[in-house]
Structures are given as structure tokens and as C-alpha cells.
């Protein structure tokens, strides 16, 4: 009983401790910009948040890719084949898991230019330099880069749908790029809790601060619902990891949807 109470308490405290860690990077970013006289960025809230998150993610992103989610993602990676839209790859922490022998072309859709230097390094390290192309834009501009509707074999989203603007519409737009009769959406995302009452209230309270600290990321998005309703699917296999307790404040869902 004592161990379970301690476990619950840890899950309650973890989001607060995580925000405190991110906050420390915010302070470091502030003084770094001040010392280097980058006042244009320093006194623009949006630009400051952009740089703050990029600097934090450059350190934390690789750690996240080595965490509990790594084994879950590895089980999904064999489904990533053909022409791929890699949405929000960030600095490319997951790229080493891809099997280049199963890939024809990969478009990394990443609008944050602060990630590009490290992303290019990871592309090379993963042996994908010949087939991986960075798309420096959002989903709404994919057609400008020659990517046609119903031309993509696989859409890959790994913990990125939490921060995209107008998530529901973006998911519907991306659905249109999948090939009919077999196009796959492979994902591992954190989502809104399915629990009610105090757990949902606590998660919603944390989310009042979370997006401001983490580049617009929200932990209360109903991503699974939006994916299920994006269009007609011939197969849906989405699950919350069995090892995650019901009181997890940042629960995940992973799996594959087939058009």
C-alpha cells in the first residue's frame, strides 16, 4: 500500500519537476541572449519561446529517445516503408531506428530552423543522407515542395502532434496525402487522459503552464479521437502502453492506422 501511494505521488510530482527543469533552461536562455546582446529575440515573447524550447530540446530530446518510449517505437518502425512524411522530426533523435532498406524517400517536415544543424547530423549518422530531405515548412505548404496528394506510403508522427497548430485540421490535411488502400499512419504520441475527476482536473491544470514552457506542446489534446475521425480507415490499431498506470499524467498512445 505504501509503495503504491509513493508511486502515485511520484506521477503527480513528475510534471511539476519537469516544468521546473524546463524553467531553468528558460533562465539560462534569457541570460545567454542578454550577454550576446540579442535584444530582438529577448524582447519578443514568441521568438524567445522558440529559442528557449530549441535549446532545451537539443539536450532533452536525445534523452527522451533513449527513454521508455524507445522500445515502444522500435516495435512500430517496421511499419514505416516506402515514401514517408516524417512530421516534426526535431533534431532527429529517432532516425537511427529507421530501416533504410525499406524506404524510398523521406520528407522531414520541420519548420524550426534551429533544429536543422543537429537534424542533418542525425540524418547522416542514420545512413539516410541520400533519401532524406528536410522540408522547411509546415504541413499546409507541402504541395509547394512537389509532394502530391495520395502519394505517401507512410506518415510518421512521434510525439509531435501535441504542438502543431489546429491539430484536428492538420491531421485531416495529412490524411489526404496517404495513398488509398494501404497508406499507413504510424504514431507514438502523448494524449489527454481517459480518466475523469481529479486526474483529468490535475492534467488540465498542469496544461495551463505546459504549452508556454514547451514550444506550444499541450498534454490535453484528444489526438487519438482526431486521428480516428480523420477519414476512412481499413484498420485501426491504437493502444496505450500496458505498463502505464491509469493515473499517468502524460499518457501515451501508439500504433498504426491503415487507409
Amino acid at each position: 500500500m505504501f509503495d503504491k501511494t509513493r508511486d502515485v505521488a511520484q506521477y503527480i510530482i513528475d510534471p511539476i519537476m519537469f516544468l521546473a527543469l524546463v524553467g531553468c533552461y528558460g533562465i539560462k536562455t534569457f541570460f545567454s541572449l542578454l550577454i550576446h546582446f540579442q535584444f530582438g529575440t529577448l524582447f519578443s515573447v514568441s521568438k524567445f519561446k522558440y529559442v528557449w524550447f530549441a535549446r532545451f530540446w537539443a539536450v532533452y530530446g536525445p534523452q527522451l529517445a533513449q527513454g521508455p518510449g524507445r522500445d515502444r517505437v522500435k516495435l512500430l518502425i517496421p511499419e514505416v516503408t516506402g515514401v514517408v512524411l516524417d512530421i516534426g522530426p526535431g533534431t532527429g533523435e529517432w532516425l537511427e531506428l529507421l530501416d533504410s532498406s525499406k524506404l524510398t524517400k523521406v520528407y522531414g517536415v520541420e519548420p524550426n530552423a534551429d533544429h536543422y544543424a543537429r537534424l542533418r547530423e542525425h540524418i547522416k549518422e542514420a545512413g539516410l543522407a541520400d533519401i532524406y530531405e528536410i522540408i522547411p515548412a509546415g504541413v499546409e505548404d507541402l504541395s509547394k515542395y512537389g509532394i502530391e496528394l495520395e502519394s505517401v506510403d507512410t506518415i510518421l508522427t512521434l510525439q509531435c502532434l501535441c504542438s502543431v497548430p489546429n491539430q484536428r485540421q492538420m491531421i485531416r490535411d495529412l490524411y489526404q496525402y496517404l495513398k488509398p488502400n494501404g497508406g499507413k499512419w504510424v504514431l507514438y504520441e502523448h494524449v489527454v487522459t481517459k480518466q475523469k475527476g481529479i486526474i483529468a482536473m490535475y492534467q488540465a491544470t498542469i496544461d495551463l503552464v505546459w504549452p508556454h514552457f514547451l514550444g506550444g506542446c499541450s498534454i490535453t489534446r484528444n489526438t487519438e479521437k482526431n486521428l480516428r475521425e480523420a477519414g476512412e480507415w481499413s484498420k485501426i490499431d491504437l493502444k496505450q502502453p500496458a505498463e502505464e498506470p491509469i493515473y499517468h499524467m502524460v499518457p501515451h498512445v501508439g500504433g498504426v492506422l491503415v487507409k
Side-chain angles (χ1 to χ4, degrees):
M1 183 68 170
F2 175 75
D3 289 340
K4 184 175 182 179
T5 300
R6 183 174 59 185
D7 190 39
V8 173
Q10 186 64 50
Y11 277 102
I12 292 174
I13 294 171
D14 278 349
I16 297 174
M17 297 299 293
F18 185 67
L19 288 175
L21 173 64
V22 182
C24 290
Y25 276 86
I27 295 172
K28 290 169 63 176
T29 300
F30 175 86
F31 283 107
S32 175
L33 294 172
L34 185 64
I35 291 171
H36 292 91
F37 305 106
Q38 297 180 26
F39 300 120
T41 301
L42 187 61
F43 296 116
S44 168
V45 174
S46 60
K47 290 181 180 179
F48 176 76
K49 287 182 178 181
Y50 209 64
V51 174
W52 172 12
F53 177 69
R55 293 188 178 189
F56 167 74
W57 199 250
V59 176
Y60 181 74
Q63 297 177 24
L64 179 68
Q66 298 298 325
R70 185 176 181 81
D71 289 338
R72 303 166 193 163
V73 172
K74 285 175 70 175
L75 294 175
L76 298 171
I77 287 301
E79 298 287 347
V80 181
T81 59
V83 178
V84 180
L85 281 182
D86 183 13
I87 306 300
T91 54
E93 295 82 15
W94 304 101
L95 294 185
E96 64 177 290
L97 299 179
L98 296 178
D99 184 351
S100 60
S101 68
K102 294 183 177 182
L103 307 175
T104 305
K105 179 72 175 182
V106 184
Y107 297 101
V109 186
E110 178 54 66
N112 191 337
D114 290 324
H115 292 320
Y116 293 167
R118 191 69 185 105
L119 176 56
R120 290 190 180 96
E121 292 177 5
H122 276 129
I123 291 170
K124 184 177 180 180
E125 291 168 3
L128 301 172
D130 292 337
I131 60 173
Y132 198 105
E133 178 182 348
I134 298 174
I135 303 297
V139 170
E140 66 278 3
D141 293 321
L142 289 181
S143 61
K144 298 178 181 179
Y145 292 86
I147 304 173
E148 299 179 354
L149 299 180
E150 299 188 342
S151 68
V152 173
D153 295 291
T154 310
I155 291 174
L156 178 63
T157 57
L158 301 175
Q159 301 195 134
C160 68
L161 294 179
C162 55
S163 57
V164 298
N166 196 356
Q167 186 201 75
R168 185 170 181 271
Q169 185 59 51
M170 194 215 74
I171 288 175
R172 288 175 177 269
D173 290 343
L174 278 174
Y175 175 87
Q176 303 300 318
Y177 283 93
L178 283 175
K179 290 181 178 178
N181 303 317
K184 295 171 290 186
W185 193 314
V186 180
L187 67 127
Y188 178 68
E189 300 283 348
H190 62 70
V191 295
V192 65
T193 180
K194 294 182 179 179
Q195 304 304 309
K196 306 298 181 182
I198 191 168
I199 293 177
M201 291 173 61
Y202 181 68
Q203 188 191 54
T205 300
I206 293 294
D207 201 49
L208 294 174
V209 178
W210 194 279
H212 299 289
F213 277 46
L214 286 150
C217 167
S218 171
I219 59 174
T220 58
R221 289 186 170 184
N222 203 336
T223 304
E224 181 175 350
K225 178 176 182 291
N226 289 335
L227 283 163
R228 288 177 178 272
E229 296 177 354
E232 294 186 10
W233 302 104
S234 63
K235 177 184 177 182
I236 297 177
D237 183 14
L238 299 178
K239 299 175 183 176
Q240 182 175 344
E243 67 272 19
E244 285 188 357
I246 61 172
Y247 44 80
H248 200 301
M249 295 303 161
V250 190
H252 296 81
V253 66
V256 182
L257 302 96
V258 183
K259 191 172 182 179

